[in-house]
Amino acid sequence: MAEAREPVTTLDTPIRLEYLFSAGIAQSKNLRGLAEGRFVGQRCPVCSKVYVPSRGSCPVDGVPTDEEVALGNTGTVTTFCVVNVPFAGQSIEIPYIVAQVLLDGADISFMGLIQEIPADQVRMGLRVEAVWVEPDQLGPSMASVKHFRPTGEPDAEYASYKDYT
Amino acid sequence: MSERVAVIGTGQTKHAAKRDDVSIAGLVREAALRALEDAGLGWADIDAVVIGKAPDMFEGVMMPELYLAPALGAVGKPIMRVHTAGSVGGSTALVAAHLVTSGIHDRVLTVAFEKQSDSDAMWALSVPQPFSAPLLAGAGGYFAPHIRAYMRRSGAPGHIGMQVAVKDRLQALKNPYAHLHLPDISIEMVEQSVMLWDPLHYLEACPSSDGAAAMVLGSEQAAAAAQVDTGRRPAWVHGMAMRSEPTMFAGRDQINPRAGRECAADVYRQAGVTDPRRDFDCAEVYVPFSWYEPMWLENLGFCDEGDGWKLTDAGSTSMDGGDIPWNCSGGVLSSNPIGASGMLRFLEAAMQVRGEAGEHQVDGTRRALAQAYGGGSQFFAMWVVGTDKP
Ligand SMILES: [Zn+2]
C-alpha cells in the first residue's frame, strides 16, 4: 500500500561554472603591485585623474592610461554601510563594515573592509590605512589587503572627499 | 517622421514570495493573457514579442526567451530579449514601442518577469569576482553607502526613508496585485525591523517576488480598433528615452547620476513637459530602497537638488492629499519581481492614464511619468504617457 507523502514541488540543482580569466595588461600591473603589498594606479593623460585599480583606459576620455602611479597605504572613508544580512557563500562574519576608500592621490574610491574599530564609531571622513596579509600569503588579488584600520589622524574635511562617495 | 504608439492592453500577475502554482512559462503566460484580454485580442493578432528579465544567473535558466516562445504564442514570430539589469522592464517596453513607432509592426506584446523563488538573487549579485575581496552583499550593500552619502549631502533627517517605506506600503493596500499587504505598517514597525544594511532597515527594502507584467502596444490604427472593441481608451506614449553611463569613473555622481538627468530632459522635451511637478498627475518610479524616492525626486527634476526629502516629508508624494503622488501601486517596495519591476512602473503609469487603476487610481490623470533604473544606477529608461493623442 502506497504511503501518503508530501509531493515534491521543488528540487535544488546546484550548478558549477569554471572559467579562465585573463586580467589584461593594465589590471596585471595593479595585481602585481598587490602581490608586493602596494597599490599601483594609472593616470589619464587627458584629465589627469588617477584610477586604482585601472582598467587600462579612462572611461571618460577613452584614451589609454599608460602612466603608472605608486600610491601610498593611507586613505579616507568617503561613505560606508554596516552589513548585517546573512547570505549563501558569505565569507566574513556579520556585522561588518564595507566602506568606499579613497586612497591618497587617487581619484576614485573602491570597496574596503574596515576593522579594528567598533562599528558604531566608523564615520565618513575617517582616515584609514591598509593592513596587508603576511608576506608569504601575498598574492595578485585584493585579498592581499586584510582590511583597513583607523590611522588615528583627524578626520578628513567633507569638502576633500564629497565628490568621491 | 515616426508613427504614434499607445498602450492598448495591460496585464500582471498576483505578485507573491512564491508562486509555486506556476512555472516561469505559466507565470509569463498569466500576465500575457490578461494583457491580450484587456486589449480584446488573441494570440494570432500579435505581430512580435519583446521580453525582458534580469540576468540569467538569477534563475539559472540561460536564454529563457527561447524556452518561453511557445508559452507566449511566439512560435514562428519575431521574439527578442532585452538586457539592462534592474531597468530591463522599462527598456523592454521601449524596445517594443520602437517596433511600432518605426512602422514595422501594428501590435507588439511585451512581457517581463522574475521568479525569485526559483532563484537566489542575493547570491547571484554577490558572487566572488576574480582577484577581488568578497565584500559585496547584494543590492542593499551596494546602494546603502550611496544613501548615506545622500543623507550627508542633503542634510535629510533619518526618518525620511521610513516615511517612504510606510507610504508605499499603505498605497499597496489599494492594489490587489501587490505582493506585500501590511495593513499595520507604521514608522515604529519600520524602525524596529532589523537594520540589514545600516542605514537601511529591513522594511526599507523591497521584497523578493515572483511576478510578471505584460502590455500590448499598438499603432494608431490598432489603438482605434481596440477602443471600439473594448470601450477602453489607450494610453498614448508622449515621450520615451534610455540613457546609460559607466559604472565607475572619477567624479561620477552616483547620488544624482547624469544619465538619469539627461534621460528625463529628453522625455520631457519630447512630451512638452517643462515643470514635472505641475505637468504630471502622478508618477511610477523605481524605488527599491526607501531613500531612492527623495533621490529620484531630485534626479527627475521635481524639485531642486537637496530638496527631494522635503517633498517626501511634506506628504507631497502621497496619494493621501499630496499634489504629486508617487507609486500609487505600492511600487517596488511592495512588489519586486526584478525583471518585471521596471515594466510594472510603465504599465501602472499607463493604467492611471487609462483610468483603469481601480482603488489606487488618481482621479483625472491626464499625464504620467514612469521611470526604471538598474545596475549601479547606470541604466535609465523612462516614458511619458497621456490621454491625448500626441
Ligand atoms: Zn581621463
Side-chain angles (χ1 to χ4, degrees):
Chain A
M1 201 177 85
E3 258 181 271
R5 291 193 191 173
E6 287 297 307
V8 175
T9 56
T10 60
L11 183 68
D12 282 345
T13 55
I15 48 173
R16 192 176 172 80
L17 187 61
E18 291 192 32
Y19 49 90
L20 290 172
F21 181 91
S22 298
I25 295 168
Q27 205 183 349
S28 294
K29 287 177 181 169
N30 175 262
L31 293 170
R32 286 192 193 105
L34 293 173
E36 294 165 7
R38 59 194 181 89
F39 295 108
V40 178
Q42 291 185 355
R43 191 188 316 274
C44 170
V46 177
C47 65
S48 300
K49 301 287 188 193
V50 173
Y51 280 85
V52 59
S54 174
R55 302 259 165 90
S57 66
C58 175
V60 176
D61 299 299
V63 295
T65 50
D66 294 328
E67 185 194 341
E68 266 186 51
V69 181
L71 293 160
N73 210 38
T74 54
T76 300
V77 168
T78 67
T79 186
F80 66 96
C81 86
V82 186
V83 176
N84 197 23
V85 55
F87 59 92
Q90 199 167 39
S91 56
I92 306 164
E93 201 177 314
I94 57 170
Y96 62 90
I97 310 280
V98 177
Q100 290 293 324
V101 175
L102 179 68
L103 286 182
D104 296 342
D107 289 294
I108 194 153
S109 59
F110 57 78
M111 259 186 207
L113 181 69
I114 308 295
Q115 291 191 340
E116 301 186 41
I117 177 174
D120 62 0
Q121 287 176 30
V122 176
R123 54 206 181 262
M124 292 170 71
L126 182 72
R127 295 282 299 154
V128 291
E129 64 187 355
V131 178
W132 299 82
V133 297
E134 295 303 319
D136 61 341
Q137 288 166 23
L138 283 170
S141 162
M142 270 304 280
S144 289
V145 180
K146 245 164 67 181
H147 57 261
F148 287 85
R149 71 177 171 209
T151 62
E153 297 165 87
D155 287 359
E157 293 288 332
Y158 179 56
S160 71
Y161 63 84
K162 70 177 174 59
D163 293 334
Y164 301 95
T165 59
Chain B
M1 182 69 191
S2 67
E3 306 291 328
R4 294 180 175 95
V5 61
V7 179
I8 61 173
T10 65
Q12 60 184 297
T13 56
K14 165 64 189 168
H15 312 297
K18 199 172 174 68
R19 282 292 307 268
D20 54 9
D21 57 321
V22 285
S23 61
I24 293 175
L27 193 71
V28 294
R29 193 173 169 87
E30 184 175 310
L33 276 168
R34 285 178 180 158
L36 286 173
E37 189 188 355
D38 188 35
L41 300 173
W43 297 109
D45 300 313
I46 296 299
D47 301 323
V49 177
V50 183
I51 185 167
K53 74 170 300 297
D56 292 352
M57 276 285 267
F58 285 17
E59 287 91 349
V61 180
M62 298 299 118
M63 300 176 75
E65 63 275 18
L66 302 182
Y67 129 70
L68 293 173
L72 292 170
V75 174
K77 291 179 183 174
I79 180 168
M80 71 175 292
R81 160 90 179 273
V82 179
H83 296 257
T84 58
S87 72
V88 70
S91 312
T92 303
L94 295 184
V95 170
H98 283 293
L99 292 179
V100 177
T101 58
S102 60
I104 296 172
H105 297 302
D106 275 321
R107 292 175 186 86
V108 176
L109 173 68
T110 184
V111 186
F113 74 94
E114 208 68 53
K115 201 157 192 301
Q116 288 219 54
S117 71
D118 275 14
S119 76
D120 188 340
M122 183 78 192
W123 168 85
L125 289 169
S126 314
V127 177
Q129 299 293 312
F131 313 122
S132 303
L135 294 176
L136 193 60
Y142 184 87
F143 292 114
H146 300 313
I147 288 168
R148 184 184 301 280
Y150 170 74
M151 293 163 80
R152 174 69 177 82
R153 190 201 273 188
S154 67
H159 68 268
I160 298 296
M162 294 190 268
Q163 263 180 309
V164 178
V166 172
K167 186 259 298 175
D168 282 5
R169 270 55 173 271
L170 287 175
Q171 291 176 174
L173 295 173
K174 300 169 193 279
N175 176 6
Y177 295 108
H179 170 179
L180 292 185
H181 283 144
L182 304 171
D184 301 327
I185 190 80
S186 65
I187 296 278
E188 295 69 37
M189 197 170 148
V190 179
E191 199 165 19
Q192 281 160 23
S193 65
V194 182
M195 189 68 101
L196 284 186
W197 299 278
D198 192 337
L200 271 177
H201 293 86
Y202 172 70
L203 282 173
E204 289 181 87
C206 52
S208 293
S209 316
D210 288 358
M215 290 187 283
V216 180
L217 303 179
S219 63
E220 192 170 355
Q221 194 187 1
Q227 189 163 8
V228 170
D229 285 353
T230 67
R232 287 184 284 272
R233 66 173 183 261
W236 293 99
V237 178
H238 290 189
M240 49 181 173
M242 285 185 244
R243 288 290 187 284
S244 63
E245 65 184 37
T247 325
M248 277 185 280
F249 61 87
R252 176 167 184 232
D253 189 344
Q254 297 219 55
I255 298 168
N256 190 0
R258 179 174 158 188
R261 281 182 273 134
E262 292 188 355
C263 191
D266 192 355
V267 285
Y268 295 169
R269 183 187 51 74
Q270 292 173 46
V273 167
T274 51
D275 178 350
R277 188 170 172 187
R278 184 198 63 206
D279 295 346
F280 292 119
D281 298 297
C282 58
E284 283 281 338
V285 178
Y286 204 102
V287 177
F289 300 103
S290 59
W291 282 91
Y292 275 83
E293 175 174 296
M295 289 162 75
W296 293 151
L297 277 164
E298 297 173 26
N299 191 244
L300 292 168
F302 281 70
C303 58
D304 290 335
E305 191 168 67
D307 286 348
W309 65 269
K310 295 175 189 165
L311 262 64
T312 297
D313 205 22
S316 307
T317 56
S318 166
M319 272 194 88
D320 186 11
D323 67 287
I324 179 63
W326 270 35
N327 295 323
C328 301
S329 63
V332 184
L333 280 171
S334 305
S335 311
N336 187 32
I338 306 174
S341 293
M343 187 171 288
L344 286 169
R345 310 283 67 75
F346 281 53
L347 177 157
E348 287 284 350
M351 284 171 68
Q352 291 286 351
V353 163
R354 301 179 76 205
E356 300 281 336
E359 262 195 86
H360 64 282
Q361 177 71 43
V362 175
D363 289 334
T365 293
R366 298 189 58 79
R367 196 151 48 170
L369 170 70
Q371 175 258 29
Y373 89 99
S377 308
Q378 86 260 39
F379 300 119
F380 292 86
M382 300 177 196
W383 80 7
V384 172
V385 282
T387 49
D388 297 339
K389 192 191 287 190

